[in-house]
Each structure stands twice: as C-alpha cells, then as structure tokens.
Amino acid sequence: QLVLAGESSQVTNEILDLFVKLGLPVTLEELGIRNITEEQLKLTAGIAASDPCIHNLPLRADEEAIAGAVLLADELGRQYKTAAGSRFK
C-alpha cells in the first residue's frame, strides 16, 4: 500500500526497518513466491482490485497499478536487504 500510495523512501525505509526487526517478510521470495509469472501477477492483482474495500483508498488501485506496486515493493525490499548486508542474514 505504501508503494501504491507513492510514499517517500524515508517512510518506506522506516517500515522496512520495522518489518525486518519483527521478522516479517519484505520480499516476494520471503513469502515463498519465487519466479512469479506475469499471469500469476495479473491474477493476484485482479483479485485485489476487485475487492470492494480497495476503493476506499484515496489512490488509483486498478489491476495494472497493483501489479506494478507489487513488483516495485519486491524490488525495494530486495534493495533494502542488499544495502543492509549481513546485518539481517
């Protein structure tokens, strides 16, 4: 949701810090999702976009936006973990 809303990198990094400290996943791989296909991503984004609650968000939340946000959030999580180095291994 932070990525979809276009939150600043400072806020995103603060949340990533918290998630890592709590042992929560910050990448798709950490969720057990490796090599997600475009079809799987579209299916997942479509399901999320069809949830009636998503339209309560004050932002664009269609299938395309959600799919892009998922991929970007994964990339940000991987970059964060790489930058943090062995601190979290």
Side-chain angles (χ1 to χ4, degrees):
Q1 184 176 339
L2 294 173
V3 172
L4 197 57
E7 275 296 343
S8 70
S9 59
Q10 179 181 350
V11 170
T12 302
N13 282 331
E14 288 172 5
I15 297 298
L16 287 168
D17 282 338
L18 176 63
F19 277 27
V20 169
K21 286 176 185 174
L22 294 173
L24 298 172
V26 297
T27 66
L28 290 174
E29 185 174 355
E30 290 176 344
L31 287 169
I33 302 169
R34 292 190 172 107
N35 303 319
I36 190 168
T37 67
E38 187 175 335
E39 181 180 343
Q40 291 168 324
L41 183 60
K42 286 179 77 171
L43 175 64
T44 303
I47 291 168
S50 69
D51 186 302
C53 293
I54 202 155
H55 302 292
N56 293 329
L57 299 173
L59 45 91
R60 180 174 156 241
D62 58 23
E63 182 180 310
E64 183 181 346
I66 293 169
V70 167
L71 293 177
L72 180 55
D74 179 59
E75 178 63 24
L76 292 173
R78 287 187 284 122
Q79 288 176 2
Y80 176 87
K81 298 285 281 200
T82 299
S86 62
R87 189 171 88 183
F88 297 114
K89 289 185 179 181

